[in-house]
Amino acid sequence: MIRTRFAPSPTGYMHIGNLRTALYEYFIAKHGGGSFILRIEDTDRERYVDGAVDIIYKTLEIAGIKHDEGPDVGGNYGPYIQSERKNDYMKYALELVEKGEAYYCFCTKERLDSLRAEGDVGVKYDRHCLSLTKEEIENNLKNNVPFVIRQKIRPGKTTFRDEVYGEVTVDNEDMEDQILIKSDGLPTYNFANVIDDHLMNITHVIRGNEYLSSTPKYNLLYEAFGWDIPTYIHVAPVMKDAHNKLSKRNGDASFQDLIEKGYLPQAIVNYITLLGWSPSENKEIFTMEELIECFDVKGISKSPAIFDPEKLKWMNGEYIKMLSPEEFFRMSEPVLEKSIKTPGVDLRSVSDMVKTRINTVYDIPELVDFIDELPEYDKSLYRHKKMKTNEENSLDFLRLIIPVLEKTPDWDNDSLYSAMVNTAKENGLKNGQILWPVRTALSGKPATPCGASEICVLLGRDETLARLKKGIEVLGGNEIG
Ligand code: GLU
């Protein structure tokens, strides 16, 4: 059975690239009817950030990713936490020491620093402690001399297969005898990762391609223990542009930022899944279920993908269109309440009007700002080629329609619309020759989320008539009041 894991380090925000890795891990597990596991890799206490585990948890929840197992936390599955599994790692490290695949290193920080400064052995450890005698080691241990445990890299070459990058071969010469257990007794990420992936029966390791070069070291560990090596799927990073990775630290949006900017979780999930993965069918909008259904490792790209905020905006707009009017009103209402202070405006109907015209709810204020206050506008707005209107005839058309609207008994959309088109017909005009000047006078904008009669309803009779008269003034007529 396929088992994948998401193994984030709690170092702060959830990067878009990390979330994408979690999604791929989730899709691969679920596509194969397997399990998805969450493991917090927190053994590097220096990089630990308080609250980061909550961010990871929340992000996965909002993105709709549920892990399948873990320690019991109040009736729910918690994540596996590496720092709480300390003893296991030491046991395995000692097994490697026993097997001659790892060794105690008592070198002080000063000695290691001086090695680096000399530069004669590069940044690689010089294996000084590999030649310690049994007695020296036992003495040091007895005297509680601080130690680390290092992996003894065997000579030769290591080759492995990655599902995305194909066959990768690394000369073992290029690898350092990396630390497996630090002087605080905690494992390094590099060691804990291997032990846990084995103990948790992880079959497919999906992670960023920055780990491609460390993978041979992990494989040497698997071999030293005689364990099965998992299937590797390394993925290229998500980029901001051709040269820089997308990163919160460089001011780019995290998942949480995007949510706060009004993006729908499902739109973000859909968009970032397509960054670096191409479906076999020519389609862009996918539900979570569809992604599980059609996700295929073959579609993962070797090359980095560039995050395009405009494409995400477009996709979010598509998701907003798919919401029911009720769902959308729940989202738009707080923004509408802030944007429209005029009493009596039916926010629900404004919500319906803007739904198909925005990419995020924060596009709404600009669309509806004319409701509270008619903006200053230029009379050239009345000029419309297709509607056959200009500054001169619009003045006549407004003068024609004002008394009709004043007399319209029912101030509702149907009555107002009929009144306007009937007036046009009776006077041998095109509908637009009445509707366009009315819309312009009422909004002062070249585009509105609704037509002339709908704006009349939104504004109410008094405000409508006042704005139409103001229109006459703008067009050089003198009626006002
Ligand atoms: N803790 C590592 C990280 O956050 C995980 C790498 C892996 O998935 O193996 O980058």
Side-chain angles (χ1 to χ4, degrees):
M1 189 175 79
I2 292 187
R3 286 172 63 85
T4 65
R5 82 320 191 251
F6 180 44
S9 301
T11 53
Y13 291 91
M14 177 75 99
H15 295 280
I16 292 298
N18 272 4
L19 177 59
R20 189 194 57 174
T21 305
L23 287 164
Y24 289 1
E25 285 155 351
Y26 181 70
F27 297 145
I28 289 170
K30 296 292 136 187
H31 181 83
S35 298
F36 168 77
I37 284 141
L38 174 60
R39 183 173 79 219
I40 306 294
E41 300 205 322
D42 61 344
T43 58
D44 189 347
R45 302 313 283 179
E46 276 164 30
R47 292 178 66 217
Y48 187 85
V49 173
D50 267 343
V53 175
D54 279 348
I55 294 177
I56 294 168
Y57 236 77
K58 254 239 162 77
T59 302
L60 295 185
E61 191 188 336
I62 297 173
I65 306 178
K66 227 172 147 343
H67 56 281
D68 290 308
E69 58 180 63
D72 185 8
V73 181
N76 289 318
Y77 292 132
Y80 292 107
I81 312 250
Q82 267 184 342
S83 62
E84 291 169 7
R85 297 158 61 85
K86 187 169 163 181
N87 292 336
D88 279 343
Y89 306 116
M90 183 59 98
K91 187 184 96 192
Y92 286 103
L94 293 177
E95 186 182 325
L96 289 181
V97 173
E98 196 73 6
K99 286 184 156 143
E101 301 278 357
Y103 57 96
Y104 288 101
C105 170
F106 300 95
C107 289
T108 58
K109 186 174 175 306
E110 290 67 34
R111 176 168 193 280
L112 295 174
D113 287 349
S114 75
L115 280 182
R116 283 204 181 90
E118 279 169 29
D120 54 350
V121 284
V123 286
K124 266 171 67 184
Y125 176 59
D126 66 353
R127 299 191 138 186
H128 173 79
C129 289
L130 192 54
S131 50
L132 294 180
T133 62
K134 224 173 159 206
E135 291 69 43
E136 283 173 311
I137 295 170
E138 272 165 16
N139 256 334
N140 281 343
L141 292 176
K142 216 185 290 154
N143 294 324
N144 289 327
V145 179
F147 67 85
V148 300
I149 296 179
R150 288 184 184 270
Q151 180 178 2
K152 186 170 139 195
I153 302 280
R154 282 173 258 148
K157 285 190 193 311
T158 306
T159 298
F160 71 97
R161 207 192 124 65
D162 179 86
E163 294 301 303
V164 176
Y165 290 89
E167 201 161 277
V168 181
T169 300
V170 177
D171 194 334
N172 296 2
E173 260 311 291
D174 297 337
M175 295 186 240
E176 191 184 25
D177 283 358
Q178 63 173 346
I179 296 176
L180 304 179
I181 299 285
K182 295 177 287 182
S183 55
D184 60 5
L186 285 172
T188 53
Y189 153 74
N190 288 314
F191 189 51
N193 191 269
V194 169
I195 303 298
D196 279 347
D197 282 345
H198 168 72
L199 293 178
M200 294 175 180
N201 296 314
I202 300 303
T203 58
H204 293 64
V205 167
I206 300 107
R207 65 179 162 219
N209 68 3
E210 66 271 25
Y211 290 101
L212 208 47
S213 62
S214 311
T215 300
K217 293 191 208 174
Y218 308 146
N219 289 343
L220 289 175
L221 289 171
Y222 282 106
E223 282 169 14
F225 283 115
W227 295 340
D228 287 342
I229 292 175
T231 299
Y232 290 113
I233 299 162
H234 285 91
V235 293
V238 177
M239 306 293 284
K240 174 205 193 81
D241 52 40
H243 307 289
N244 301 293
K245 266 195 193 184
L246 191 76
S247 139
K248 173 76 189 166
R249 236 170 293 142
N250 296 335
D252 302 322
S254 66
F255 177 75
Q256 198 53 37
D257 293 331
L258 293 176
I259 295 287
E260 279 161 21
K261 284 183 182 167
Y263 290 94
L264 296 170
Q266 191 50 43
I268 305 174
V269 163
N270 190 155
Y271 177 65
I272 69 176
T273 299
L274 297 179
L275 281 174
W277 175 75
S278 318
S280 55
E281 55 188 316
N282 188 14
K283 141 174 178 171
E284 288 192 295
I285 305 290
F286 292 89
T287 63
M288 202 74 164
E289 290 67 34
E290 287 168 336
L291 287 172
I292 290 172
E293 177 77 32
C294 68
F295 197 86
D296 182 350
V297 176
K298 286 198 197 88
I300 297 179
S301 162
K302 271 194 201 111
S303 5
I306 295 182
F307 183 88
D308 176 0
E310 291 307 313
K311 183 85 195 257
L312 172 62
K313 263 189 207 153
W314 167 80
M315 196 170 273
N316 204 59
E318 295 304 297
Y319 272 86
I320 286 180
K321 288 186 192 110
M322 290 189 281
L323 293 175
S324 70
E326 292 72 29
E327 282 169 325
F328 179 64
F329 186 48
R330 245 177 277 138
M331 274 174 55
S332 64
E333 195 180 13
V335 181
L336 288 168
E337 272 172 356
K338 269 207 194 117
S339 318
I340 302 173
K341 299 283 182 222
T342 307
V345 174
D346 178 3
L347 297 186
R348 172 60 205 259
S349 74
V350 182
S351 176
D352 293 348
M353 288 168 192
V354 296
K355 185 168 178 279
T356 55
R357 292 175 161 83
I358 56 168
N359 288 326
T360 80
V361 286
Y362 298 111
D363 293 340
I364 294 176
E366 208 197 316
L367 281 179
V368 302
D369 57 1
F370 70 91
I371 297 177
D372 277 1
E373 197 182 333
L374 180 68
E376 291 284 329
Y377 65 95
D378 191 83
K379 63 179 176 179
S380 59
L381 265 192
Y382 286 93
R383 212 181 303 145
H384 195 297
K385 213 166 161 201
K386 219 172 116 208
M387 305 289 180
K388 294 200 184 328
T389 58
N390 56 41
E391 290 92 323
E392 287 77 43
N393 65 11
S394 291
L395 186 58
D396 298 336
F397 301 148
L398 286 185
R399 281 183 174 142
L400 185 63
I401 197 66
I402 289 175
V404 177
L405 294 180
E406 272 171 339
K407 277 192 259 85
T408 303
D410 299 315
W411 200 261
D412 59 60
N413 191 39
D414 287 349
S415 314
L416 291 160
Y417 185 76
S418 307
M420 287 191 261
V421 296
N422 287 341
T423 305
K425 202 167 166 200
E426 283 157 17
N427 291 276
L429 302 173
K430 288 165 70 87
N431 288 347
Q433 289 180 300
I434 295 292
L435 297 175
W436 182 257
V438 169
R439 174 135 77 109
T440 303
L442 297 184
S443 69
K445 298 183 85 169
T448 55
C450 53
S453 55
E454 287 161 310
I455 303 180
C456 293
V457 176
L458 283 179
L459 297 179
R461 184 191 294 265
D462 293 349
E463 182 65 14
T464 299
L465 294 172
R467 289 189 187 190
L468 292 174
K469 286 171 189 168
K470 168 87 175 126
I472 285 178
E473 193 197 351
V474 170
L475 286 166
N478 51 12
E479 295 97 315
I480 179 97

